[in-house]
Every structure is written in structure tokens, then in C-alpha cells.
Amino acid sequence: MAIDTTHDLFIYELGLAGEFEASGLRTLNFLAHRVSDGDLRRIVRDEQQECVRQGENIKSCMEALGAFSLAVSPTTVDGIYGRFEAFVRTNPAPDILDQFGADTLIRFLYLGIAVHKTLIDWAILMNENQCVGCLHENLVQKKESVAKIERYSHELGVRLLVP
């Protein structure tokens, strides 16, 4: 598909966002099986469910536009996955792995926030109101999630530093 118009670019980036959520789910699955802290594992499992729901919202937006995903690879998410996978191979202590896992989840969510902010701006400019609603719902959830996980990550850090 040639990308010649802003509409084409929006659809391409929307497809990237859908693949972002799918690849993010892979990252979250890997994280969920590696962290040992029960509360963190629960948080990751909640994020897995949100990732699926947010992917469905993006799919709804694509359908409203009469478009389909181009199955492009979100290399940045793959990089986040690879970084966590490489860290796991260093055989860190469980509590250190949990801290790095929480930090990895935070990086993933901030990337998702950036992706959604750009898409919402395009959707508003193009008057794609159904997409604005779906994308805004995702953005709000990502912001709420990152705030919760940042607090928990801080708690994990305090536990690591306080004897």
C-alpha cells in the first residue's frame, strides 16, 4: 500500500498501534511468567487484559474506517521484550528481577501513551470521532495504569533499599 495521504498515514500508524498491543501482550505474557512478587504478577495480569481490550478498541477504530491492519512489526516493543529477555538471562535475584520487570512495564506503557497521543491528534484533525473515543479510552487507561505501576515500582525499590 502506498502511503500518499494523511489518511493513509493515520491508518498505517493505527495498524502499528494494533500490532503494538499484540506484541505488548507477548511481552506481558513473558513478564507474568518471570516475576515472583504476587502483587506485581497480578498487576501484569491486569495489564494483559487491558492490552487485549485496547487492541479490540483499535480494531474497532480500523473497522469504522473500513481499513485493515498491515501486519507491521512494532520494533520498539520487540526491543523492550528483548531487553527484558536479556536481563532475565543474567540470572538476577528474584526481587531485582521484579524491580526490572516493573520498570519494563512502565517503559511499555509510556510508549503506548505516546503512540495514542499522536493517534488521537490525527483522529481529531481528521474528524474521526469514533476513533477519538476508542483511542481516548485507551489513553486514559494507560495513564491510570502507569500511575499505579509507578507507585508499586517505588514500593518495590523502597523494599530493596531498606534493610
Side-chain angles (χ1 to χ4, degrees):
M1 168 184 152
I3 301 173
D4 297 323
T5 67
T6 53
H7 187 264
D8 295 342
L9 177 60
F10 177 67
I11 289 172
Y12 180 81
E13 290 203 32
L14 197 56
L16 278 174
E19 292 298 322
F20 173 92
E21 297 299 337
S23 187
L25 189 56
R26 174 180 155 240
T27 301
L28 294 171
N29 288 339
F30 187 71
L31 248 164
H33 288 94
R34 300 305 181 284
V35 297
S36 60
D37 182 271
D39 290 333
L40 180 57
R41 188 176 299 117
R42 182 189 47 73
I43 289 169
V44 173
R45 298 252 185 247
D46 290 347
E47 286 310 306
Q48 288 172 305
Q49 292 172 354
E50 282 303 315
C51 200
V52 169
R53 190 189 57 70
Q54 291 169 6
E56 290 169 357
N57 279 349
I58 292 168
K59 184 179 178 184
S60 294
C61 183
M62 294 285 281
E63 289 171 356
L65 294 169
F68 56 92
S69 179
L70 301 174
V72 290
S73 177
T75 55
T76 308
V77 178
D78 293 344
I80 291 171
Y81 178 92
R83 178 188 289 171
F84 185 73
E85 185 179 46
F87 186 77
V88 167
R89 286 195 304 265
T90 69
N91 200 27
D95 53 351
I96 298 298
L97 178 67
D98 290 343
Q99 183 68 60
F100 193 79
D103 295 344
T104 297
L105 184 52
I106 290 167
R107 282 187 285 278
F108 169 70
L109 288 168
Y110 270 118
L111 179 59
I113 289 168
V115 166
H116 278 75
K117 282 183 172 185
T118 303
L119 287 170
I120 289 169
D121 188 45
W122 274 113
I124 290 169
L125 290 171
M126 294 177 7
N127 203 29
E128 295 292 350
N129 294 327
Q130 185 174 352
C131 287
V132 171
C134 292
L135 296 169
H136 188 263
E137 183 180 326
N138 285 1
L139 178 62
V140 168
Q141 183 57 47
K142 285 181 184 304
K143 286 180 174 182
E144 289 173 356
S145 292
V146 80
K148 175 177 64 176
I149 296 160
E150 283 178 327
R151 281 189 302 277
Y152 195 75
S153 176
H154 177 77
E155 291 173 18
L156 287 174
V158 167
R159 280 189 252 155
L160 284 172
L161 295 173
V162 175

